[in-house]
Amino acid sequence: MTRRALTLAVAFMLVGCGPGGDNVDNSAGERLETASIAAGLVADPAVVPLDGVWSRDTDRMCILPRSDDKSDSVRRIGVVLDYGEGQGCVASGTLERTGPALKVTLGQCRFTARFDGDSIQFPAGLPTACNSLCTGRATLSALIVERVSASVAEARTLRSPGGKALCVD
């Protein structure tokens, strides 16, 4: 196949993947993801371990097993966002995993985050109870972090700006 023919074939395939009309099969993406997981091309978010340190820029998160609960689905979670000059968030609580859904409880702040196998994403719209965890204009809304380390020992060292350990019971 010539280079031009190959380029045209790829272009036609990409056009076929674009947005279509009302007859688009919405489950096609789900079927592709399921096939990719089965083939080992994509990590299954339902079984990828969560324990460790997660980060993006100055945003940090730790996830560890709870010492009082032997359940694999319930974890300790700690979050610290420090933007300096009175702008930041500090929170700790629990996380319960159900497949890719992560039910996060940070005191009165409760919401469901999403885990895609590579990153954890908080929803853009959080309950107003979550505002009390932040100072200044900082917010936990739409927080996205990726795994930096799977080390439990390292996750235990994450601390608030005041020195409080965030993932230790």
Side-chain angles (χ1 to χ4, degrees):
M1 184 178 266
T2 68
R3 183 176 176 155
R4 179 174 164 80
L6 182 59
T7 302
L8 286 172
V10 170
F12 284 123
M13 285 190 286
L14 290 175
V15 168
C17 293
D22 292 337
N23 62 353
V24 174
D25 183 1
N26 291 330
S27 64
E30 291 174 19
R31 288 195 315 268
L32 178 61
E33 184 174 358
T34 300
S36 297
I37 289 169
L41 299 172
V42 174
D44 184 354
V47 296
V48 172
L50 294 173
D51 295 343
V53 179
W54 299 76
S55 176
R56 179 177 277 179
D57 298 326
T58 61
D59 304 338
R60 304 278 185 266
M61 179 186 298
C62 56
I63 300 175
L64 289 174
R66 286 177 35 170
S67 62
D68 63 340
D69 188 337
K70 302 300 180 196
S71 169
D72 279 342
S73 65
V74 179
R75 299 291 204 237
R76 297 274 311 142
I77 182 173
V79 182
V80 62
L81 286 60
D82 187 1
Y83 304 125
E85 299 184 22
Q87 309 290 323
C89 303
V90 176
S92 60
T94 60
L95 172 148
E96 185 173 355
R97 178 184 191 164
T98 307
L102 307 175
K103 294 179 185 175
V104 178
T105 302
L106 305 168
Q108 297 300 312
C109 174
R110 294 184 172 113
F111 57 91
T112 301
R114 185 177 180 282
F115 177 56
D116 66 8
D118 294 317
S119 65
I120 296 173
Q121 302 121 23
F122 286 10
L126 291 177
T128 56
C130 300
N131 295 341
S132 66
L133 302 171
C134 300
T135 58
R137 294 184 310 268
T139 179
L140 292 171
S141 295
L143 172 70
I144 299 175
V145 290
E146 290 96 18
R147 185 188 313 275
V148 176
S149 170
S151 168
V152 170
E154 191 173 344
R156 284 190 178 110
T157 66
L158 185 65
R159 301 197 180 283
S160 70
K164 179 184 181 245
L166 294 176
C167 277
V168 178
D169 291 337

